[in-house]
Structure formats: C-alpha cells, structure tokens
Amino acid sequence: MKKFLAEIDVMPKKEILDPQGKAVTGSMKNLGLSEIQNIRIGKHISLEIDADNAETANAKVDQACKSLLANLIMESYSFKLVEVA
Amino acid sequence: MKKFLAEIDVMPKKEILDPQGKAVTGSMKNLGLSEIQNIRIGKHISLEIDADNAETANAKVDQACKSLLANLIMESYSFKLVEVA
C-alpha cells in the first residue's frame, strides 16, 4: 500500500459569473493594484490517499471530485497526484 | 507590457484546525472512499496581471496576497506565475 498526495483545484467554469472574483478584482484597484484583472476564485483541496498504485489512486480521487468535491454543473476540476511514501 | 497569469493557492496553516476539511473527510467514508484522509480545503485564485517583467509581476502578486487574498494569521499562500502574452 502506497500513500499519495493529491492537490485538487476546483474552479467556477469560464461561462459562469464569479461574483466573489469580481468583487476582489474591484478591491485590487482600491489597493493600487489596478494591473491585476480577471480574478477568479475557486477551491484548493489537498488530501492523502492510500492505494496500491497510481492508477487506483487517480481513479479514487477522480471519483471523489465527481461525487463530492466539485459541482460539475458550475465547476471544473483538475488535480495532480504525487507519491509520498 | 507583458501579461502574466498567476495561479495562487491559499491554504489554512497546518497548526490550524480545518473544520470544513474534517467534515468532508468524514463524508468520504460514507461514499465508500475511506482510503482518503487528511483533507484540507483552501482557496485557489487565478488572476491576470500586466507588468514589464516577471520580477515586477511577482512582487505585485505577492503584495496582493499579503494585503488582500490571504489572512496570514491563519493561512499561508504559494503561487506560480506564467507569461501568457
């Protein structure tokens, strides 16, 4: 049994309005950082998973994203998996 | 003027309890994914920044993280910067 670390990004889809990101983009201007634009805010999730090999770990993380971590109607996800032990 | 894309992760510090992550870790068990543990949930932020060079862009993104995007008492941040145009 190996241990893997998954780093998952869950972001609002491009065609979906991101009001939180829009608000923070506006605040950047007040901070004198008007060069910063198009902020989009999503979730970053890190987790550990025990699996026999990278393929199994990959499939389990994908299942976790699909069934719980991401709302596929409004969000898309991507992840990286690294073996830690 | 070049355009850079920054991908920022803002995570709760290790010594800080992450109740959202704990709750989701519990839900994994109900989904039959008990191999998944130690879930921690933070924010992923993507933004565009106009700057003359990568050093300036880096400094501006760092400033944005420190002053607005991350609460440094409870959260730590890391980011990657890539030139897009």
Side-chain angles (χ1 to χ4, degrees), chain A residues 9 11 24 28 33 35-46 48-50 60 64 67 69, chain B residues 9 11 24 28 31 33 35-46 48-50 60 64 69:
Chain A
D9 290 329
M11 296 298 287
V24 174
M28 286 296 170
L33 291 166
E35 310 89 330
I36 294 180
Q37 282 169 334
N38 280 338
I39 303 181
R40 292 186 77 80
I41 301 182
K43 285 179 286 185
H44 184 79
I45 300 154
S46 69
E48 290 173 12
I49 178 164
D50 294 317
K60 294 273 182 188
S67 57
L69 300 175
Chain B
D9 289 329
M11 296 298 287
V24 174
M28 286 297 169
L31 281 172
L33 290 167
E35 310 89 330
I36 293 180
Q37 281 169 333
N38 280 338
I39 303 182
R40 292 187 76 80
I41 301 182
K43 286 178 286 184
H44 183 79
I45 301 154
S46 70
E48 290 174 11
I49 178 164
D50 294 318
K60 293 273 182 188
L69 300 174

Side-chain angles (χ1 to χ4, degrees), chain B residues 3-14:
Chain B
K3 193 179 275 294
F4 297 86
L5 182 69
E7 299 284 344
I8 305 164
D9 289 329
V10 178
M11 296 298 287
K13 287 188 180 175
K14 283 206 168 56

